[in-house]
Amino acid sequence: MIRAAELIERKRNGEELSGEEIAELVLGYARDDVPDYQMAAWCMAVYFKGLTGRETHALTDAMIRSGDTIDVAAALGRRVVDKHSTGGVGDKTSLAVGPIVAACGVPLGKMSGRGLGHTGGTLDKLESIPGFRVELTIEEFLAQIRDVGVAIIGQTGDLVPADKKLYALRDVTATVDIVPLIASSIMSKKLAAGAQAIVLDVKVGDGAFMKSLDDARILAEQMVDLGRRAGRQVVCLLTDMDQPLGAAVGNALEVREAVETICGEGPPDLTELVLHACSRLLALSDLGIDVVEGRERAERAMTDGSARGTYERWIRAQGGDPDVEALPRAPVVSEVRAPRGGVVTRLAALPIGIAALELGGGRRTKDAMIDHAVGVVCSAKRGQTVEAGQVLADVHARDDEAAARAVEAVAAAYQIGDEAPPVRGILLDVVA
């Protein structure tokens, strides 16, 4: 018999639960033997008392055991890599990393999610490509990784169902921002999906869930520990999200920018992050190379056209049209101009993400429809010198009224001063 009330009480009192007890609670909740109100009480106890490393591992393992798992390495006879981001504004990194890594001879298989609120989702970006299918069977997923070298799909309903149920509960009970539960949620899905080597991009700053570098480092250390306990290799990149990544924010706009980056013509910050992620993934692969050689190979794939060719094969394999001219375009484009000359001292990521959301490029609920064509392109970034009247950004909107509101919001996200801000690179730290 499940002793939910006893486990809640003991965790409330700061006691460490055994692996068997946590598995009993989580698997019971997945079977509907533990009601929502008891699981919510346990989550709140965890909010105040935390979980030890052993407890977090037990929670992750129980969530994996609640559903199916995929043994990608056994199916393909290769070490398969994966890359995950904790979510940010303008983060289209995976769209470029996948084909570049595959062009270097390393298979990448990834299950992604949709955006909610101001953070965009990889699946939404891919669905802006006409004809692209994100729903593949596991057999199709594995076959495509084998044949093309890269596949990015939606999470199957049978993979880690306990996490899906628990996250929905945390979302409505103010228990989302608990580091052990965040780490367990992310890693249970990554481990169940079968990748042997994983690079995690933990966003830090205004447009990210983790606002401080110290908090992000704690989350990264817990996820690396979970990977190590499961026998996987995990590297966490802690990256800047105080301003949007790259220039484009919005689904089709971001796909265009990702393709430019694949061809070596992307924005400097996005290009640098893509190369960091690719070099780490290649170093974790079965190629037997280090990070330096991994970066060299990634750069070569971008310049010699092989990454672009792999991108086009990947998009066609999932039913899409890889021609960027086929992407939808918004009918209204309005400019945001600098009110004075000076240096961009701040470009807040969160207001830009919210502006794109209000234009229709994001969703407030999981079932909401989105407009793939709309968004914001920030041509002036932090540290750039601008003149009065210079274009800072372009708003891509469905109509003039929506464009006017977004122009006002985007203008408020910019601050222009007389002195350049401190230099801050895209990569803030690495935890491995």
Side-chain angles (χ1 to χ4, degrees), residues 217-238:
R217 193 176 290 113
I218 291 170
L219 174 61
E221 289 170 350
Q222 292 202 14
M223 292 192 292
V224 168
D225 180 65
L226 288 172
R228 186 179 299 116
R229 289 173 185 266
R232 313 292 175 87
Q233 290 183 286
V234 180
V235 172
C236 287
L237 308 178
L238 277 56

Side-chain angles (χ1 to χ4, degrees), residues 69-83 106-110 145 187 189-199 224 226-228 230-235 280-281 283-286:
T69 58
I70 307 171
D71 192 344
V72 182
L76 302 180
R78 288 285 308 278
R79 171 174 284 200
V80 176
V81 301
D82 191 3
K83 178 261 171 194
V106 173
L108 182 144
K110 174 176 170 58
I145 298 173
M187 291 304 295
K189 293 189 283 286
K190 294 291 107 179
L191 298 175
Q196 297 300 305
I198 306 162
V199 169
V224 168
L226 288 172
R228 186 179 299 116
R232 313 292 175 87
Q233 290 183 286
V234 180
V235 172
R280 292 284 177 174
L281 286 167
L284 292 174
S285 74
D286 53 14

Side-chain angles (χ1 to χ4, degrees), residues 5 85 106 112 121 138 203 205 210 233 251 301 330 352:
S85 169
V106 173
S112 290
I138 296 303
K203 301 296 186 186
M210 310 307 292
Q233 290 183 286
N251 298 288
I352 299 297

Side-chain angles (χ1 to χ4, degrees), residues 8 75-76 101 110 132 160 178 188 210 215 233 254 316 319 322 350 386 391 398:
I8 295 166
L76 302 180
V101 168
K110 174 176 170 58
F132 191 93
V160 202
I178 308 172
S188 63
M210 310 307 292
D215 288 344
Q233 290 183 286
E254 292 187 45
R316 289 194 183 99
L350 182 58
V386 298
V391 175
R398 186 55 55 186

Side-chain angles (χ1 to χ4, degrees), residues 339-377:
R340 52 162 290 194
V343 180
V344 177
T345 58
R346 184 169 184 262
L347 170 56
L350 182 58
I352 299 297
I354 293 175
L357 168 67
E358 295 292 346
L359 285 165
R363 54 171 64 84
R364 293 189 180 279
T365 65
K366 291 182 179 179
D367 297 327
M369 298 294 291
I370 64 174
D371 187 337
H372 290 103
V374 301
V376 181
V377 178

Side-chain angles (χ1 to χ4, degrees), residues 349-430:
L350 182 58
I352 299 297
I354 293 175
L357 168 67
E358 295 292 346
L359 285 165
R363 54 171 64 84
R364 293 189 180 279
T365 65
K366 291 182 179 179
D367 297 327
M369 298 294 291
I370 64 174
D371 187 337
H372 290 103
V374 301
V376 181
V377 178
C378 301
S379 51
K381 301 289 291 288
R382 189 176 57 216
Q384 183 174 331
T385 300
V386 298
E387 298 178 355
Q390 181 176 329
V391 175
L392 301 175
D394 291 304
V395 169
H396 296 245
R398 186 55 55 186
D399 55 54
D400 291 330
E401 183 179 350
R405 290 195 300 269
V407 165
E408 184 177 350
V410 172
Y414 276 95
Q415 289 183 5
I416 299 175
D418 298 319
E419 296 183 7
V423 176
R424 186 182 191 186
I426 187 68
L427 182 64
L428 306 177
D429 200 0
V430 179

